[in-house]
Each structure stands twice: as C-alpha cells, then as structure tokens.
Amino acid sequence: MNQQESRLTFRKSRRRRYAVKVRTRFAPSPTGNVHIGNMRAAIYNWLFARHMGGEFLLRVEDTDIERSTPEAIKALLDAMDWFGLDIDGEPLYQTTRQQAHLEAAEMLLAKGLAYKEDKGGTGQGECVIFKMPGTDSSFVDGIKGEMTKKAENMQDFVIVRSNGTPVFHLANVLDDIEQGITHVIRGDDHVENTFRHIALYKALGADVPNFAHLPMIVNAQGKPYSKRDGDAFVGDFRDKGFLGDALFNYLALLGWSPGDDREVMTRKEMIEAFTLERCQSSAAQVDLRKLTWMNGEYMLKLSREEFDAIAFQALETAGIDAEPEYAEKVFGLVRERVKTVADIVPMVGYFFTEDFEYDEKAVRKKLQKDGVVEVLNQVKEIFQSLEVFNEATTDKALHDFVETSGLGFGAVMAPVRIAVSGIQSGPDLFPLLAVLGRSRTIERIDRTIDQFLQ
RNA sequence: GACCCCUUCGUCUAGUGGCCUAGGACUCCAGGUUUUCAUCCUGGCAACACGGGUUCGAGUCCCGUAGGGGUCGCCA
C-alpha cells in the first residue's frame, strides 16, 4: 500500500514538471578513494537517468582543499570510467561556486530567513544560521515512501561558517538548483538532511526536486562499512581482479532487482528494467562469493582479444616476460577456468619459468610412489619417439600406453601433470603438453625424476 | 537518550490478500560427465524476527514487542 501510494505521488509530482527532462547527478568529494557505497549511488543515478531518457551530471564537491588534489580528482574520474558511467555536460566543480553560495546566504539574511549568531558562544565569531520554518515537513521518498518530521524535531542549522565558508547543506542545494537536478538519489544517511534541504529550496524560491534514499550496504559481518574495512574502495576491487562491468552488475543488483529471474544482465537490459520502485528499502550485505561468481560469468563473456589484453597486462605487472605467440596459446588454455583477473598469473606461472614450485602434497601423494619412476621414464621414451608432438599424438600415445601397461589413467596422467607443472590441477593435459612443447616436457620430466625420485 | 527508517533461506532477492506445501541466484552437500581441477548436468539442505489483531483466507493490511540501522557538527 505504502509502495503504491508513493509511486502515485511520485509520478504525479513528476507530471507537474512534465516539460522538464530528468536530471540526476553524482556529487562525490574527491578524496582519492571512492567507496563502493558511493559508487552504487552513482550507478543508480546513472541507471535512472538513462532509463528516463534524461541526463546524468557530475559535480565534484572539492571544497575540502586539503584532500581535493588533482590526483584525487583523477582517481574519481578513472573509477567512473572503469564503470562506464558517462556523464552529460561538463563536471561542475564546487569551488567555482563559492561566490554564488555566499550571495545566496546574504539574500536569505536580507529576507530574514537566516540570522547571524555566535553559535554556542565559541568566540570564533558569528556564523549564518538558516531558520527552519517552524512547520511540520513531509516528502514522498521514491524508495521509502512517505516521510514526515514534526516541526519541533527540526532545528535551525549553520549555512555559512564563522570563517566565511559555506556549509555542505547550502552548497549542495544551491548547486543542485544550478544544475537543474530533478531527482536526488543518495544514501540513506541523508534522509534527515532532506528535511533541511527542502526548507532551503523553498526559502530560495526553487522547485523542490524528487528525493530517493538508497539503503546502506554493509560488510560481510552485517555491519556498516568503516574506514577499517580495507576492501570497500573501488580500487581494491580492481586490484583483486574484478572487472568493472561485473562489479557494476553486482552492485546494481545489491538493492535492486528487475523483478524476474535475470541476474547477469547487459547495460541495456538494466537500463530498460531500472525503476526506483523496484529498489529495496533495507540494507544489503556484500557477498564476495557471489561477486566472484558473477565476475567469472563476465570473464567468460570476454572476447579472445579482450581476455588476452587483460592477461598480458597481468603478466606484465607480475614482472613476467612473455613471448606473445606462446603466451596467447597459454591464455587459451586457462581462459575458461579463470574467475578473476587475479587468478591468471598463479594459474599460468609454470608456463613461463623453469623455476616453478612443486606442490608438496601432490609430490608426496602422487609422485613418490612405487613404479612412478618407471612410468615417467616410459612416458618420456614414448614422447621422444613420437614423430609429431601435439595434442592428438600425445593423447593417443598415452592412451595406448595406459591400455597396454594395464595401469589406470590416474596412475599415468597425474605423475606426468605434476612433473611438468608442479600441481595437480590445471588445463586438460594434452593441450597443455602441446603448448609446452616436446623439449620442455621431457626436460621437466627428467628434472622431476632427479629431484624427487632418486 | 530523542527523532526517523528497516526486518523472506547463511547472503542477494521474487512475492502488491487466495497462483506460496514461499520461487530464483550465490554458497554448501550428494551424484553424474571429465585423465586432474574448473566448467557443465541432476538432486538436496535452507527463510516469511516474535506476539496479537483485521479477514472466509496474511509473507502480503493494522497494532505491539524484539532486533538492526540512520541522524542528532561552524564534516560531507
């Protein structure tokens, strides 16, 4: 009922401004790190704007001179780029607006809607305080429905500090007016502010936009993300090997669903299906396992070229020098088994060095057993005698060997695999051998015998 | 403490009074496919916070309780 009511009212208020195009915005302060909670708000704003055929703007709230460095701004823009959040128009930098903010404060003062006072008698001088109208306030939240607050529960608040700088509330509202924002979609932590902001809009003689408040996202312990949760920044997810598209999709689904069973969705599908009414009003918990699964789905959707480019990049950062043609063959082997970008290097390491590690347990359980030396020696001879060494010939040769020797597949394949790769799991053995090549395969078998089976 | 908000499987969710013996996804478990691992296929475990109403009928509406969260800055 509540949902239905809110939907109606929300539509009605939009119809009133029928000629106005929907405009949303992302208004972060550039601090060098973008929290995924903020990024999710950006995603929802973007999705909503695109769904409505409207515009998505960026406003950089860079008034904190200490933290708002050019690097921080670049990091912010990079994060948006990584997610593919394209903006309409030029970003508005809040520092360029200070004069306008101050003039508006003067206007409110002149109209008697604000007053000056040394709040709390600090002796720091007088600040400008906005006078709340003294009436009950209510608005219809696009997600939460009807919200009300009694006059006695709302206090006057500072809009210009005694040092002459504008406070968030004033700047934020004024800039939203300047940018023509029709829908303010932001975190739940702003609901209380909304009552203040609505009063400001009215005092300023501006149309009050629609508001929608997104529930917070919480960590794996179900607690709010704090500064200590190291993995809450967008950059951390990138470092952990997640793809921007996958994180985007995952975050979009964290608090919203299309209403049917779709989960892995294209941008187009998400844009088409996205509505505020379908957003959840309770907090959502981040589940890295599901994110990892979804990332795997996106890794699978990558084209050969895209995957190779990513894999080369990963190799490069790991300091591994790779010959392109060979590396591409290796990538082809692991392409479908990788869940995150970070999985690649550990999975292909042994292809690029003779100095790879042997898994101790694998050596103990599969290699250091009676008869293994003989098996490896015979396999080596078979490989040496092969006219051509490729996937098909090694496959046939080993299968023949298994048959004639009367040994099980496992008794032959496992030792060979460990001898050439050091580990028990990996790509299909024969393609692996083919990529490795005959000489390397034989050398590795020899070395394994010397090292563990003498 | 005051004000506001939230509550369906472990997690993300579907559910707008009868279609719900509550559906899907991730995870986990079992079986199958596979030379290994992953994939893939099949099956399984698992939830309406609690208590009262309203109603012929409640996960869905109302009230209360409990739990959780947000806000109470000359931070944003």
Side-chain angles (χ1 to χ4, degrees), chain A residues 95-137:
Chain A
T95 41
T96 65
R97 298 264 307 146
Q98 205 182 99
Q99 198 52 42
H101 299 160
L102 264 14
E103 280 166 16
E106 285 304 323
M107 190 271 274
L108 290 173
L109 237 21
K111 283 190 175 175
L113 296 167
Y115 57 93
K116 285 189 171 183
E117 184 185 294
D118 177 5
K119 198 185 176 209
T122 58
Q124 296 171 53
E126 292 188 318
C127 50
V128 181
I129 298 174
F130 178 73
K131 200 190 294 174
M132 286 300 278
T135 52
D136 294 355
S137 175

Side-chain angles (χ1 to χ4, degrees), chain A residues 266-323:
Chain A
T266 63
R267 288 293 159 104
K268 191 162 171 280
E269 289 175 315
M270 285 190 263
I271 290 168
E272 274 169 14
F274 190 86
T275 61
L276 256 16
E277 294 86 61
R278 296 212 55 83
C279 290
Q280 209 73 16
S281 54
S282 54
Q285 192 169 322
V286 174
D287 181 5
L288 252 19
R289 287 173 307 194
K290 184 146 188 176
L291 205 211
T292 302
W293 163 78
M294 184 164 280
N295 201 70
E297 297 293 304
Y298 274 85
M299 294 292 289
L300 244 27
K301 285 172 31 156
L302 254 26
S303 71
R304 206 39 230 269
E305 293 69 33
E306 290 169 324
F307 183 89
D308 287 352
I310 288 170
F312 272 120
Q313 182 62 250
L315 244 41
E316 200 184 312
T317 25
I320 297 171
D321 222 11
E323 193 272 309

